[in-house]
Amino acid sequence: MNAVASALIPIFGVIALGWAMRRSGLVRKELWLGVNRLSYQALLPSLLFSTISRADYAGLPAGSFLIAVTLGFLVMGAISLAFKPLPVPGPSYTSLFQGGVRWNGFVLLALAGTAFGAEGNALAALVFAPTVPLINVMCVVVLTIWGTSDVKPDARRVGMRIITNPLIIACLLGAACNALGLFQTGPVADTAALAGRAALPLILMAIGAGLDFSALKARPKLLMLSVGLKLIIAPLVFIALGRMFGVEGVALAILAAIGSTPGAAASYVLASELGGDARLMAGHVTATTLLAALAMPFWIWTTSLL
Amino acid sequence: MTQVIISAFLPVFAIIALGYGVRALGYIPREHWRGVNALNHRLLLPSFLFSLLAQARFDGANSLTLAGVSALGSVLMIALALLLGRLVSNSGRITAPMIASAVMWNIVLSLALAERLLGDAIASAGAAVSATGVIIGAAASVAGFALTSGRGLQAALMKTAKDPVVLACVFGLLANLSGLGRVSVLVGPIEMIGAGSMAVILLSMGAGLDFKALKGRLTVLLSAAVLRTCIGPVVYLGLALAFGLTGDLAVLMAIAGAAPAAAFIYAVAADCDGEAGLTAGMITLTVLTSLINLPVAAAVALSL
């Protein structure tokens, strides 16, 4: 069994356990709110800070890799916009758009360390800083135009939401500490590392707990299109851009993995808040989470042929 | 030596303080911790214990001695808790949390500290100590709360037999003995959850600290804290030395003895309609006293 498949088995196993815990009622649906909050507000920032602050970026193609990643999301945004003429209601279109551009970075983080070692970990953690604000702005703009919510977000609120995002702050602080050589060892580094170790199992379980199989019946054709955008078009775009910018080896495999990760659960929250089609979004997240177990190893494997 | 102990212990207590801080400041409010606590008791702690026991490399006589000393320590602590419980109150509802806080030491915290102080190699010895410690401790805690809540012996036994922590230990040992514990496809997800559970358990331990619960019933609370974190290390370290366990193993036993009460006994108390408020107070006070007693006990054991 290759390293990617071996790493993916426990990842999807933990997701399945999260689903089983919620489905069996052992941890009821409403209780997952606290688990999610703890993960996003404290544990994931600790993980990102710990990984980025201590990573050795010397010799890694971080610059070209980040350009390819950022362009990848912009291109996916453009491709998703090209589907606007489809005869579907505005809210459903916003969910198609979110399906095309939003990705689940946590599955990638869980995979990168195990399958690609320290190099993979360092690159995967780096992706969050530029992409979280970019994707959020794109999605909020699209939802503002075509969503049905009466509550329209003001630019200041969106800006504050991005500036105070714990994931972005953690990435920037980690990069600053890395550059300045701060907190490489000692109590702060040890505390962040210890807290960060809990992030991925918890967030993977929360992903599982959020799966909603009944939502797979919502708008099946549109759902197939959004899944195709996420698991077929996006990996092709990311791999092609990686090749264009001379990215290869582990970095190219990480690009393929970024393209083929499942949809992000946050897209469901945004769709609910800003008048998107939340049910279609839930179906998209559920379907892509299930299919990513096949899509991720496939697309990562294709990079070994290039 | 002081420097070594401080640098090993500081991050662990910092995580506990962080948990308290994010809850007290309202960053993650109290009601949101209910889900985390439920996940802790039903999945994270069981996964941690299952992985620990399933993958431990027990080395015959030494492991048996450790497990035996741990079991003997648990029995002695139960006896002392019963005695002290009778002295401070006639109510069984008070004795139940006394027993639970005395016998159910915080395994996650102890093993986190032991690993940081003594290295990863202590994990298998930690598994041997935990195996009997958790099974006896969890069984005594659940049975104590269930019995004193008036549910009867049969219900108490059923509750004990179904407790996720007890089950995890039993299945972990069975997986170890059968060799299934080393089949990565089977235990991979549980191992992944177990590896990450330490910080969540420490964070929720901090979030669960309830200083309001320290008001009133001071005699009971102080008795429980003295028993757990002052008499506990004497009992466990004394037994270890009496049975010829020295060096790192003696330090491990001292840490187990001086550790605060396990946070999950609060969930058990609440689940059995026991004295949950008093139990929260006991956990809180033992965490505070262990801040001093744990490093002292480790230093004493290291100097022997």
Side-chain angles (χ1 to χ4, degrees):
Chain A
M1 201 185 305
N2 72 27
V4 174
S6 316
L8 281 171
I9 288 170
I11 291 171
F12 284 94
V14 173
I15 292 175
L17 264 174
W19 177 79
M21 292 297 287
R22 199 262 299 158
R23 188 85 179 88
S24 64
L26 276 171
V27 181
R28 297 189 312 275
K29 195 175 179 180
E30 63 273 19
L31 295 179
W32 287 93
L33 190 64
V35 179
N36 266 318
R37 207 173 158 101
L38 179 65
S39 306
Y40 284 108
Q41 306 277 9
L43 302 179
L44 278 166
S46 300
L47 175 69
L48 291 173
F49 174 82
S50 171
T51 308
I52 294 173
S53 64
R54 296 201 282 183
D56 181 7
Y57 287 105
L60 289 184
S64 50
F65 171 79
L66 280 182
I67 292 170
V69 168
T70 311
L71 275 178
F73 284 109
L74 286 170
V75 170
M76 283 311 296
I79 293 173
S80 303
L81 273 178
F83 285 98
K84 180 62 194 82
L86 284 177
V88 293
S92 299
Y93 168 70
T94 65
S95 294
L96 178 69
F97 182 89
Q98 284 210 79
V101 299
R102 275 199 178 271
W103 68 302
N104 196 319
F106 313 120
V107 174
L108 173 75
L109 273 179
L111 171 75
T114 323
F116 304 116
E119 189 184 344
N121 236 350
L123 288 172
L126 211 54
V127 181
F128 286 82
T131 58
V132 170
L134 174 69
I135 295 168
N136 271 299
V137 168
M138 288 198 298
C139 291
V140 169
V141 168
V142 167
L143 273 153
T144 307
I145 299 169
W146 289 297
T148 53
S149 174
D150 293 333
V151 186
K152 297 297 177 193
D154 62 289
R156 190 185 156 86
R157 194 167 155 232
V158 173
M160 280 305 288
R161 200 162 160 167
I162 289 167
I163 292 168
T164 57
N165 186 308
L167 303 186
I168 296 173
I169 293 171
C171 287
L172 295 177
L173 273 178
C177 290
N178 189 311
L180 298 170
L182 295 173
F183 303 125
Q184 302 296 299
T185 55
V188 173
D190 288 354
T191 305
L194 187 59
R197 267 167 57 184
L200 293 172
L202 224 61
I203 202 72
L204 291 175
M205 276 189 281
I207 290 171
L211 295 181
D212 178 0
F213 290 96
S214 68
L216 290 174
K217 293 171 193 157
R219 296 187 172 271
K221 284 181 186 164
L222 209 53
L223 182 62
M224 274 174 66
L225 182 58
S226 75
V227 171
L229 264 178
K230 182 72 204 75
L231 298 182
I232 298 172
I233 307 295
L236 282 171
V237 166
F238 278 89
I239 293 170
L241 282 167
R243 293 291 289 171
M244 269 175 65
F245 285 91
V247 178
E248 50 191 20
V250 165
L252 188 63
I254 297 277
L255 276 178
I258 291 170
S260 54
T261 53
S267 54
Y268 171 80
V269 179
L270 206 62
S272 307
E273 277 180 14
L274 298 180
D277 188 337
R279 193 159 164 73
L280 176 59
M281 214 63 264
H284 171 85
V285 173
T286 304
T288 51
T289 302
L290 295 178
L291 293 171
L294 301 172
M296 287 184 81
F298 171 76
W299 287 111
I300 292 169
W301 169 74
T302 59
T303 63
S304 67
L305 304 175
L306 298 172
Chain B
M1 186 167 63
T2 311
Q3 180 76 32
V4 173
I5 291 175
I6 289 174
S7 62
F9 284 24
L10 195 59
V12 173
F13 282 104
I15 298 267
I16 296 172
L18 185 70
Y20 174 74
V22 293
R23 199 267 296 154
L25 295 171
Y27 200 52
I28 300 173
R30 189 183 287 275
E31 61 272 19
H32 285 180
W33 287 95
R34 280 180 54 220
V36 183
N37 289 333
L39 201 64
N40 269 343
H41 184 218
R42 291 167 196 170
L43 187 65
L44 300 185
L45 183 57
S47 299
F48 175 83
L49 291 167
F50 177 87
S51 303
L52 179 76
L53 295 173
Q55 294 175 337
R57 299 198 178 275
F58 295 124
D59 60 349
N62 227 359
S63 298
L64 276 177
T65 310
L66 273 168
V69 168
S70 174
L72 201 54
S74 300
V75 173
L76 266 175
M77 292 301 283
I78 293 171
L80 287 170
L82 277 169
L83 195 69
L84 205 57
R86 286 284 167 213
L87 284 175
V88 296
S89 168
N90 282 326
S91 166
R93 286 180 67 80
I94 305 291
T95 311
M98 284 283 280
I99 292 172
S101 72
V103 72
M104 200 56 258
W105 44 281
N106 194 309
I107 291 193
V108 175
L109 176 75
S110 306
L111 293 187
L113 293 175
E115 271 184 36
R116 291 187 58 78
L117 189 65
L118 308 169
D120 293 345
I122 202 69
S124 288
V129 175
S130 307
T132 46
V134 178
I135 292 174
I136 296 173
S141 304
V142 176
F145 280 117
L147 272 174
T148 53
S149 69
R151 293 182 181 186
L153 184 63
Q154 198 178 357
L157 287 173
M158 282 302 287
K159 191 105 188 144
T160 308
K162 285 181 186 171
D163 186 76
V165 175
V166 175
L167 287 175
C169 288
V170 173
F171 285 125
L173 284 172
L174 288 175
N176 189 308
L177 295 172
S178 64
L180 287 173
R182 277 174 271 281
V183 181
S184 60
V185 176
L186 289 177
V187 297
I190 299 173
E191 192 187 342
M192 193 173 180
I193 295 169
S197 62
M198 193 177 270
V200 185
I201 292 168
L202 294 174
L203 279 166
S204 57
M205 196 176 147
L209 293 180
D210 185 358
F211 293 101
K212 283 181 190 158
L214 296 179
K215 287 179 187 161
R217 294 171 158 182
L218 209 60
T219 313
V220 179
L221 289 170
L222 277 174
S223 305
V226 167
L227 181 56
R228 176 78 289 251
T229 60
C230 299
I231 301 174
V234 177
V235 168
Y236 280 79
L237 184 58
L239 282 171
L241 295 174
F243 282 87
L245 298 173
T246 54
D248 286 356
L249 300 180
V251 178
L252 174 68
M253 294 305 293
I255 290 174
F264 84 87
I265 62 171
Y266 173 81
V268 178
D271 214 23
C272 296
D273 303 320
E275 289 274 358
L278 185 64
T279 310
M282 287 178 179
I283 296 166
T284 303
L285 197 56
T286 55
V287 171
L288 295 180
T289 51
S290 72
L291 267 169
I292 297 162
N293 289 6
L294 257 170
V296 171
V300 169
L302 277 169
S303 67
L304 290 173

